[in-house]
Amino acid sequence: MELDFKKVLVTGAAGFIGFHLSKRLLEDGYEVVGLDIINDYYDPAIKEARLKLLKPYERFKFVKIDLADKKSMAELFRSEGFDVVVNLAAQAGVRYSLVNPQSYVDSNLVGFVNILEGCRHNNVKHLVFASSSSVYGSNTKMPFSVHDNVDHPVSLYAASKKSNELMAHAYAHLFNIPCTGLRFFTVYGPWGRPDMALFLFTKAILEDKPIDVFNYGKMQRDFTYIDDIIEGVVRVMKRPASPNPSWNGDNPDPGTSYAPYRIYNIGNNQPVELMHFIEVIEDTLGKKAKKNLLPLQPGDVPATYANIDDLIRDTGFKPSTPLDVGIPKFIEWYREYFKV
């Protein structure tokens, strides 16, 4: 049954996915409160530029609040009365979690408890939250399935995302809050994050600088175009998580529950080798990259590949944008934004 909702809280609204989701929801006629702290993990100017595109919508309201600020978060939930909450705010990045672990605890754990408490006390009908493909950690069985055990993260970032899933399950069980976690697989596209490979590679190639190619280019990623991610999120928002009647504690299924709790992968279902990814960028730019071949970095996994059977079955949607369509769209945006 589709959920009838009007007002949505999107956390991380100045971020890459949060911006695109907010824009789509506003265009679809929903009321959106966008929350962001606009930290300096990457250049805040790009976050401000995204927000500038959202502010003209009359049904959009922006609030600058730190997720970890318990009092402000409680007041926001009390005063606004959200139907649905989509939590996309998080300290992102696998490599940065080796440098600044504390920021992951503040945003991804303390902040997430404040989201859960807000939902608990204010009758939120559905909490949708961003998890990550990184939770699969040391798993090698491909493609990654939400029904596989994911108890071996290889970075603190991944551990914090797995923790979100566990925390959400506890609240679904205790307070009957429908909670759906979405494991995103390497999202890319216009307005993408400056710390992501596509942005870094495009910038370096245009500036005649070498690019760092980890795992000697043998890395495989399930690159997923932003529009596919957003379509998946919107469809999931309309379908609050429901209990799985055949769930069995003797053989517990990690992807569902006896409580109103679900996990979905959103990926392109098609892993691509990093070298091919670079070739598509080179072809689009009409320029070759200077490659600095390096070993696998700590915290990185050699391959990601999403099993999306559950997403297709429950929402009727399958991400399908190929790299040779998505990458040119990003590069067109990049050239326009930076005037290069």
Side-chain angles (χ1 to χ4, degrees):
M1 198 175 90
E2 279 212 351
L3 175 64
D4 185 27
F5 63 91
K6 293 189 176 79
K7 192 173 194 179
V8 183
L9 170 64
V10 177
T11 72
F16 173 34
I17 301 174
F19 157 70
H20 281 281
L21 178 64
S22 299
K23 189 165 179 288
R24 164 71 187 270
L25 291 171
L26 290 162
E27 285 167 358
D28 286 356
Y30 297 103
E31 192 179 341
V32 175
V33 175
L35 176 150
D36 210 293
I37 189 62
I38 314 185
N39 67 16
D40 59 0
Y41 167 65
Y42 61 79
D43 184 3
I46 199 165
K47 300 179 185 183
E48 296 285 3
R50 293 182 189 127
L51 273 181
K52 201 173 166 187
L53 294 179
L54 296 176
K55 284 179 174 170
Y57 289 92
E58 57 187 48
R59 283 186 299 273
F60 181 72
K61 175 180 177 182
F62 177 67
V63 290
K64 189 173 181 178
I65 295 175
D66 186 340
L67 279 190
D69 181 343
K70 181 181 169 185
K71 195 170 167 219
S72 298
M73 288 298 290
E75 180 51 39
L76 177 73
F77 272 87
R78 250 196 320 271
S79 62
E80 292 290 349
F82 303 113
D83 300 314
V84 176
V85 173
V86 185
N87 182 48
L88 299 169
Q91 179 55 63
V94 168
R95 289 163 198 161
Y96 187 63
S97 65
L98 280 74
V99 183
N100 188 357
Q102 197 64 47
S103 63
Y104 290 77
V105 174
D106 296 342
S107 293
N108 304 7
L109 301 182
V110 177
F112 195 61
V113 168
N114 290 338
I115 293 276
L116 288 166
E117 280 290 290
C119 293
R120 170 191 175 187
H121 294 293
N122 297 280
N123 198 29
V124 169
K125 299 183 180 82
H126 192 194
L127 168 62
V128 178
F129 63 96
S131 185
S132 164
S133 60
S134 67
V135 300
Y136 290 102
S138 298
N139 288 23
T140 52
K141 186 179 137 208
M142 297 280 180
F144 293 148
S145 168
V146 295
H147 305 293
D148 294 338
N149 178 290
V150 287
D151 281 341
H152 296 87
V154 294
S155 69
L156 184 69
Y157 170 68
S160 74
K161 287 299 190 178
K162 165 71 175 177
S163 302
N164 286 173
E165 296 179 2
L166 297 171
M167 293 154 77
H169 183 269
Y171 272 67
H173 160 76
L174 290 167
F175 309 112
N176 208 35
I177 302 164
C179 292
T180 304
L182 303 176
R183 293 175 182 165
F184 297 138
F185 281 69
T186 317
V187 191
Y188 75 99
W191 293 100
R193 281 180 14 217
D195 62 322
M196 298 289 278
L198 179 53
F199 200 112
L200 292 168
F201 290 172
T202 301
K203 184 175 191 291
I205 294 167
L206 286 170
E207 293 173 0
D208 286 317
K209 291 178 179 166
I211 60 173
D212 288 341
V213 182
F214 294 102
N215 204 25
Y216 309 104
K218 292 183 179 69
M219 208 113 88
Q220 288 193 322
R221 287 291 179 267
D222 205 339
F223 294 101
T224 313
Y225 188 62
I226 184 65
D227 291 3
D228 287 339
I229 291 283
I230 299 307
E231 182 63 32
V233 175
V234 171
R235 290 198 189 202
V236 166
M237 286 171 70
K238 294 173 180 175
R239 294 181 51 90
S242 57
N244 174 5
S246 58
W247 195 90
N248 183 338
D250 285 345
N251 183 23
D253 168 22
T256 67
S257 176
Y258 56 84
Y261 170 87
R262 296 273 162 154
I263 297 288
Y264 294 104
N265 287 331
I266 305 190
N268 213 40
N269 192 224
Q270 206 177 346
V272 171
E273 200 160 89
L274 189 57
M275 279 303 190
H276 176 64
F277 181 72
I278 293 165
E279 281 165 16
V280 180
I281 301 170
E282 290 174 328
D283 291 347
T284 308
L285 291 172
K287 197 171 180 186
K288 287 287 179 200
K290 298 170 184 167
K291 300 177 191 76
N292 186 17
L293 299 176
L294 297 164
L296 192 68
Q297 276 209 315
D300 266 351
V301 295
T304 66
Y305 177 11
N307 175 323
I308 53 172
D309 293 352
D310 287 35
L311 181 75
I312 296 167
R313 183 196 66 219
D314 292 350
T315 70
F317 175 64
K318 181 182 191 297
S320 60
T321 306
L323 278 184
D324 55 11
V325 171
I327 286 178
K329 286 186 176 176
F330 168 81
I331 288 172
E332 183 187 355
W333 166 79
Y334 184 95
R335 285 187 177 282
E336 194 179 318
Y337 182 77
F338 290 104
K339 307 282 187 280
V340 289

